[in-house]
Amino acid sequence: MVTTPTRPEPAVGRRYSIDEPVAHTPVNASINSPSVLLFIVLALLGALAYSIFLLNPENRGDLLPFVLVIIAEVVLISHALVSLWTILSGGQDPRGFAFHRTQREIVQSVNSLGERPHVVPQSEPLRIDEAPVTIDVFITVYGEPLEVIERTATAALAMHGQHETWILDDGRSDDVRELAARLGARYIRRLSSNGAKAGNVNHALSVTSGEYFAIFDADFVPAHDFLIETVPFFVEEKVAFVQTPQTYGNHTTLIARGAAFMQSLFYRFVQPGRNRFNAAFCVGTNVVFRRTAIDNVGGIYTDSLSEDVWTSLMLHERGWTSVYIPITLAVGDAPETIEDYTKQQMRWATGGFEILLTHNPLSRRRRLTPDQRIQYLVTATHYLIGIVPLMLLMVPPLEIFFDLRPVNLGVTPFEWFAFYFGFYGLQILLAFATMGSFRWETLMLAAVSFPIYLRALINVITGRRKSWHVTGGARKRQSPFNYMVPQTLFFVFLALTSVVAIYKDLGNGALTLATAWNVTNTLIICAFIITAVIEARRIRLADRAARRRSVRMAATARSTKEVTS
């Protein structure tokens, strides 16, 4: 069932309307809050203290679990430190004097329509340095439901500022073509799907001529002032693209809520920090490009399914700049099912690992600044964080079955927990301080996604290419268990291990840390299994209802035919 998401509050800060040409307070202002800064400092100290604790030779336990813990925590701590550093860099408003001057001219032009009642806001030219600019708006389509495409196309056509809206239909659907004609949008269909989404956009660029072009996925509904809030940045001649957040409105399932919260942390606090280093990257939708910049790098990058981050990297290497503005200007759909989540994360992780293994940002051949090298290295290695839980899941069973411990027996459970909480607990408290909440669904997804990221890494190493999949789409749903065989097997293994651990602890008369840790891991994966069971039941009921409708429609058709004859 497709629902229309309601427009949530802006990700960070307020957006001012076209009737208010004076800027509001800087976006992402919460990062400058003394309380938030205090939590960031405490999280930094907690990460450092935990590192010292782990690397202290006196605390070292048996080699195998110790090595697993060290590798896992080095990855987690290093990424946490860089992320906190990036977050601290994100308090600067990217909207400078040139932006405000240009936007004021645009706003005044649109507001003057009251004196010209025959002109609508959608046809008022947007101007940069007093010269009108031409803008194309691309909606990329590949089999999404018609009502989803119509919702986005209607909103795109209604955006203020003169522009041409194009539906780029890689699904080659006559229904979509008729929809475009009915709405008044232009329609492009190509003969093949080479290059997936990137190829679709490149083909559209070959038949359009706008100086700037915006891209929206079929499920992302733009606000009427999207162009007014983004185009003024292009008064700076080196700006290649302006990116806005991916904000999700369909918090209807556990998977959607967990995925949405996971992304909101990135878009609220990490991407704004990357502005400071000219390393904010495109995320494929809700973005406006300068055509000459894309022409300079030979078009949208087509040799990866993560064309967005690769195109950003190519632009930054050529000396172009990027802008990220953390204000919600479009709302879309998060993956609602395990199938959609798995395919989305597989696509994103593959792109990151491709950069790491085939285009290492630290290579001397890369024309990047030191800050950009660090930021793109974090991007390329980010999904290693998702493989880390596999290592940590194996530590308790090593102690339960083989009496192998990551730390020596002199370290008490309380001491271990104090340092452990100092790292992980403070990060959760930081999420509460900045976001106002913390989703346990996000913690669950982070713990169970390791098979996805491990498979993506293996695919990149072996050169295996995966086909393109859209998030959602009008297709027959498969059982979620088709996409979570490793998680199911791990759940069975950890559940049996927990039984053995509890039996041993009852015999010894004391609860061990390994038992508590393993039982916790088992419960987390169990929550994922329960989610899959509920989802599988929902799919079965939907299929059953669809079959009933088909039978009724067939019966009605036969009855009509008999009456006619």
Side-chain angles (χ1 to χ4, degrees), residues 16 98-108 228-229 232:
Y16 53 96
F99 170 90
H100 290 306
R101 183 192 63 199
T102 304
Q103 189 182 58
R104 182 182 294 271
E105 293 173 357
I106 292 174
V107 169
Q108 290 175 344
I228 291 176
E229 293 286 353

Side-chain angles (χ1 to χ4, degrees), residues 356-368:
L356 177 65
L357 298 178
T358 67
H359 202 85
N360 193 318
L362 298 183
S363 170
R364 295 174 61 183
R365 292 176 293 177
R366 309 292 167 245
R367 290 170 292 179
L368 299 169

Side-chain angles (χ1 to χ4, degrees), residues 443-454:
L443 180 63
M444 180 198 71
L445 290 179
V448 302
S449 298
F450 62 89
I452 304 172
Y453 306 134
L454 189 60

Side-chain angles (χ1 to χ4, degrees), residues 409-418 511-513:
L409 293 173
V411 178
T412 65
F414 176 79
E415 184 179 0
W416 169 270
F417 177 78
L511 176 68
T512 63
L513 180 61

Side-chain angles (χ1 to χ4, degrees), residues 69-302:
V69 169
I70 288 296
I71 293 175
E73 302 296 11
V74 163
V75 172
L76 291 173
I77 292 173
S78 60
H79 275 79
L81 291 175
V82 175
S83 294
L84 291 171
W85 169 55
T86 304
I87 290 171
L88 281 172
S89 305
Q92 185 176 5
D93 190 339
R95 301 173 298 183
F97 173 77
F99 170 90
H100 290 306
R101 183 192 63 199
T102 304
Q103 189 182 58
R104 182 182 294 271
E105 293 173 357
I106 292 174
V107 169
Q108 290 175 344
S109 176
V110 174
N111 285 346
S112 69
L113 294 180
E115 305 168 5
R116 296 171 289 154
H118 61 285
V119 181
V120 296
Q122 293 82 2
S123 62
E124 179 67 12
L126 300 183
R127 298 175 183 274
I128 295 179
D129 288 333
E130 300 183 354
V133 297
T134 54
I135 304 170
D136 291 312
V137 175
F138 297 150
I139 301 171
T140 56
V141 172
Y142 189 53
E144 291 85 355
L146 278 178
E147 59 268 28
V148 171
I149 302 169
E150 180 174 4
R151 186 180 67 199
T152 299
T154 301
L157 288 163
M159 288 193 299
H160 289 182
Q162 188 177 78
H163 62 281
E164 194 77 55
T165 299
W166 304 78
I167 294 180
L168 317 184
D169 182 19
D170 251 8
R172 293 181 279 281
S173 166
D174 291 338
D175 291 337
V176 173
R177 179 165 54 190
E178 293 172 4
L179 172 67
R182 174 166 59 83
L183 296 177
R186 306 290 294 274
Y187 178 85
I188 297 178
R189 175 191 295 191
R190 57 184 181 142
L191 297 178
S192 70
S193 299
N194 292 337
K197 179 180 174 180
N200 196 7
V201 173
N202 286 337
H203 175 72
L205 289 173
S206 71
V207 298
T208 59
S209 59
E211 299 167 77
Y212 305 94
F213 64 94
I215 301 176
F216 295 101
D217 286 346
D219 61 312
F220 272 91
V221 180
H224 65 85
D225 51 352
F226 181 91
L227 297 176
I228 291 176
E229 293 286 353
T230 53
V231 171
F233 283 106
F234 291 102
V235 69
E236 304 288 348
E237 294 183 354
K238 293 301 292 181
V239 172
F241 64 88
V242 178
Q243 178 66 60
T244 71
Q246 285 191 17
T247 301
Y248 302 111
N250 60 329
H251 300 175
T252 53
T253 68
L254 187 147
I255 299 296
R257 290 192 296 273
F261 187 86
M262 189 183 299
Q263 292 303 307
S264 65
L265 287 169
F266 172 75
Y267 288 114
R268 284 175 184 254
F269 299 107
V270 177
Q271 273 276 60
R274 295 176 71 107
N275 265 340
R276 181 68 66 89
F277 312 115
N278 187 29
F281 59 82
C282 167
V283 297
T285 184
N286 313 343
V287 61
V288 184
F289 281 100
R290 186 191 299 269
R291 178 186 283 264
T292 53
I294 292 301
D295 290 343
N296 182 240
V297 295
I300 303 293
Y301 192 84
T302 58

Side-chain angles (χ1 to χ4, degrees), residues 1-5 145 148 151 219 248-260 332-345 444-445 470-473 475 477-478 480 528 531-532 534-536 538-539:
M1 176 180 177
V2 179
T3 58
T4 302
V148 171
R151 186 180 67 199
D219 61 312
Y248 302 111
N250 60 329
H251 300 175
T252 53
T253 68
L254 187 147
I255 299 296
R257 290 192 296 273
D333 293 338
E336 294 185 334
T337 66
I338 291 173
E339 176 185 353
D340 287 341
Y341 174 78
T342 299
K343 291 178 178 179
Q344 180 197 69
Q345 295 297 306
M444 180 198 71
L445 290 179
V470 298
T471 301
R475 64 181 185 277
R477 293 291 178 184
Q478 300 184 48
F528 188 60
T531 301
I534 295 172
E535 183 180 308
R538 187 168 60 244
I539 291 173

